[in-house]
Amino acid sequence: MVSDKELIAAARQARRHAVATFSKFKVGAALETADGVVVTGCNIENATYGLTICAERVAMFKALSEGHRRFRRIAVVADTQAPTPPCGACRQILWEFGGDLEVLLANLRRQHGRHQVANLLPVPFDARLI
């Protein structure tokens, strides 16, 4: 298991690779797998905005595409004063593929919070119920 500090540092590093040509709002994420592997992601914008993908989803999809199926937690970093939690679409993806992950929120200087996905998405749509 990596420390909070290491996971947040990985998210800060990933943020540097963001493609935020239009909004200039760069976000980094670092997802820790159950076996301690850290998979990172950054937001990637598109001129249509609708095809933009958030850092959290990049990290999750990258981890899934590399064969990881069990996850422990994710760190999300943005250059803001207040914490920047995952958007609704990211909360759904994190829940669906990661379950009740721990979510660490930080900016470029310090950690801002620690949450569980279930608290951020209290009534998730779950395909397991269908």
Side-chain angles (χ1 to χ4, degrees):
M1 187 165 148
V2 299
S3 70
D4 290 358
K5 210 171 186 178
E6 291 169 316
L7 194 64
I8 290 168
R12 286 182 180 131
Q13 180 63 32
R15 182 187 165 276
R16 294 179 180 179
H17 300 292
V19 179
T21 309
F22 305 99
S23 72
K24 308 294 187 229
F25 186 70
K26 295 181 176 188
V27 180
L31 177 65
E32 183 182 8
T33 68
D35 57 352
V37 174
V38 175
V39 180
T40 61
C42 60
N43 59 316
I44 301 171
E45 292 181 352
N46 178 273
T48 67
Y49 276 108
L51 298 177
T52 293
I53 186 165
C54 300
E56 300 92 327
R57 283 182 278 159
V58 169
M60 180 59 79
F61 294 156
K62 187 173 159 186
L64 292 167
S65 73
E66 293 174 0
H68 301 285
R69 295 294 182 268
R70 293 181 43 237
F71 307 96
R72 187 172 287 143
R73 61 200 177 142
I74 189 167
V76 181
V77 170
D79 187 11
T80 56
Q81 291 300 314
T84 302
C87 72
C90 288
R91 292 174 193 202
Q92 177 64 37
I93 292 299
L94 292 173
W95 175 264
E96 192 163 338
F97 293 105
D100 194 17
L101 294 174
E102 183 176 49
V103 180
L104 304 178
L105 302 177
N107 64 17
L108 301 184
R109 292 161 294 289
R110 66 181 181 88
Q111 184 175 335
H112 276 289
R114 180 185 307 269
H115 305 275
Q116 294 298 131
V117 171
N119 293 330
L120 297 175
L121 186 66
V123 186
F125 177 81
D126 196 326
R128 294 171 281 227
L129 300 176
I130 296 175

